[in-house]
């Protein structure tokens, strides 16, 4: 599992963007994110208001249990996330809970391989996530919200990994990031792809030399946000075909991540981190 599979979150920032009309994900505008619990040194799920108030930890530290990669259901009532116990060899599985952190329940097949970073479609009936099977393969899957009817919608070559799948606000399209590694485990390419199951993924950034990470849809699915560059310090916006790319913000000396539109599309939240921004056992 490569370094981009582990996600931890630092500072949340709001920046202006042109408006769109929709309320997906989350109807109330609150942000959910994975952050480091300073006492247990594990990642836990937090919620914060759109103006930075009412910061609340929603999951409770316990041993080496990591709760990560949270995302809202479209109606803002449920939060989906993955859960991994690093003290065991049990695969990470997907869970859901109420917006308050209560009524946590497994949203996965108990016998499934490792599943990471879930998002849910508009109707709440399908989940997409990263899958790491025991045979060493890797891909993007789509399944029912109870873990049944699991289907592989995108695979990766031996020198590739897929990250950050996200359902479009409407329809069945899934946006994700594919990293291609060289023989020294350095990033050779990092592209954004869209798959409309069933179908072959379309690489919307393959014609350029830039590296793209952490894609997300606008509320009306007309545009896409992403982090660009080897330094990961630039957030860009592009059309859903990968054209009309423009820079929204660039920060010197920091790694940016997880750019996300507010429900009505008038603002963008993103993370900013100095140092290592992944595994909480490392400095950052």
């Amino acid at each position: 599992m490569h370094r981009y599979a582990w996600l931890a979150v630092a500072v949340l920032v709001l920046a202006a963007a042109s408006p769109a009309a929709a309320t997906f994900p989350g109807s109330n505008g609150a942000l959910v994110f994975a952050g480091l619990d300073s006492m247990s040194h594990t990642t836990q799920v937090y919620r914060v208001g759109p103006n930075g108030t009412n910061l609340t930890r929603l999951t409770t530290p316990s041993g080496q249990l990591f709760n990560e990669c949270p995302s809202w259901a479209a109606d803002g009532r449920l939060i989906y996330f993955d859960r991994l116990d690093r003290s065991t060899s049990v695969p990470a599985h997907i869970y859901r809970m109420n917006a308050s952190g209560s009524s946590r329940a497994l949203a996965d097949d108990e016998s499934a391989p490792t599943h990471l970073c879930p998002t849910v479609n508009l109707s709440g009936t399908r989940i997409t996530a990263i899958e790491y099977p025991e045979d060493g393969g890797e891909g993007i899957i789509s399944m029912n919200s109870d873990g049944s009817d699991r289907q592989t919608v995108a695979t990766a070559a031996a020198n590739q990994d897929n990250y950050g799948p996200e359902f479009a606000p409407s329809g069945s399209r899934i946006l994700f990031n594919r990293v291609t590694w060289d023989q020294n485990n350095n990033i050779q390419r990092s592209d954004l792809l869209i798959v409309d199951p069933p179908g072959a993924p379309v690489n919307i950034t393959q014609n350029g030399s830039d590296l793209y990470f952490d894609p997300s849809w606008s509320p009306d699915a007309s545009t896409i946000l992403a982090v660009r560059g080897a330094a990961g310090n630039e957030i860009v916006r592009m059309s859903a075909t990968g054209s009309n790319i423009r820079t929204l913000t660039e920060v010197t000396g920091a790694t940016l991540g997880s750019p996300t539109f507010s429900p009505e599309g008038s603002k963008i939240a993103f993370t900013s981190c100095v140092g290592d921004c992944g595994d909480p056992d490392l400095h950052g």
Side-chain angles (χ1 to χ4, degrees):
M1 189 180 302
H2 288 293
R3 53 179 170 162
Y4 285 96
W6 293 107
L7 301 179
V9 169
V11 181
L12 289 167
V13 184
L14 290 177
S18 58
T23 55
F24 183 83
S27 60
N28 59 6
L31 296 163
V32 289
F33 61 97
L36 178 65
D37 177 73
S38 59
M39 296 297 292
S40 66
H41 291 278
T42 60
T43 56
Q44 302 298 327
V45 177
Y46 294 78
R47 187 188 70 239
V48 68
N51 57 358
T53 60
N54 300 318
L55 176 64
T56 304
R57 190 183 65 204
L58 301 179
T59 55
T60 303
S62 175
Q64 287 295 300
L65 198 60
F66 284 63
N67 296 293
E68 307 171 311
C69 268
S71 64
W72 287 107
D75 60 9
R77 296 180 180 179
L78 294 175
I79 297 167
Y80 287 77
F81 60 100
D82 67 65
R83 195 176 208 208
L84 172 68
D85 189 343
R86 286 196 180 186
S87 68
T88 73
S89 59
V90 176
H93 284 148
I94 294 168
Y95 286 76
R96 62 175 173 266
M97 60 185 171
N98 292 336
S100 64
S102 64
S103 301
R104 184 176 62 246
L106 182 67
D108 213 338
D109 186 327
E110 290 184 354
S111 63
T114 289
H115 287 158
L116 300 172
C117 297
T119 65
V120 192
N121 66 356
L122 181 64
S123 64
T125 57
R126 298 288 290 183
I127 297 171
T128 183
I130 308 166
E131 181 174 276
Y132 287 90
E134 294 180 358
D135 63 7
E138 185 270 331
I140 301 297
I141 57 101
S142 172
M143 62 185 179
N144 289 335
S145 57
D146 62 358
S148 63
D149 188 30
R150 189 167 78 246
Q151 302 172 11
T152 300
V153 298
T155 58
N159 65 330
Q160 294 178 328
D161 283 296
N162 295 327
Y163 301 113
E166 184 176 298
F167 270 111
S170 60
S172 58
R173 287 179 298 168
I174 297 172
L175 171 68
F176 65 97
N177 173 210
R178 174 174 291 166
V179 176
T180 302
W181 310 87
D182 65 20
Q183 60 183 0
N184 297 316
N185 204 34
N186 297 314
I187 296 177
Q188 187 176 55
R189 289 196 58 83
S190 188
D191 290 300
L192 308 185
L193 293 86
I194 296 175
V195 62
D196 191 357
V202 176
N203 189 329
I204 65 171
T205 57
Q206 64 181 344
N207 294 323
S209 59
D210 288 323
L211 307 178
Y212 295 93
F213 308 93
D214 285 0
S216 66
W217 296 97
S218 65
D220 64 0
S222 65
T223 59
I224 291 168
L225 296 175
V227 174
R228 180 168 68 178
N233 67 336
E234 183 182 8
I235 290 176
V236 298
R237 184 175 184 172
M238 68 185 74
S239 71
T241 62
S243 60
N244 301 317
I245 301 172
R246 67 183 182 95
T247 299
L248 299 182
T249 189
E250 188 173 357
V251 179
T252 302
T255 300
L256 308 182
S258 304
T260 306
F261 279 102
S262 60
E264 81 295 337
S266 64
K267 294 180 182 291
I268 294 168
F270 59 94
T271 65
S272 178
C273 178
V274 177
D276 179 84
C277 301
D279 195 313
D281 290 337
L282 301 177
H283 177 71

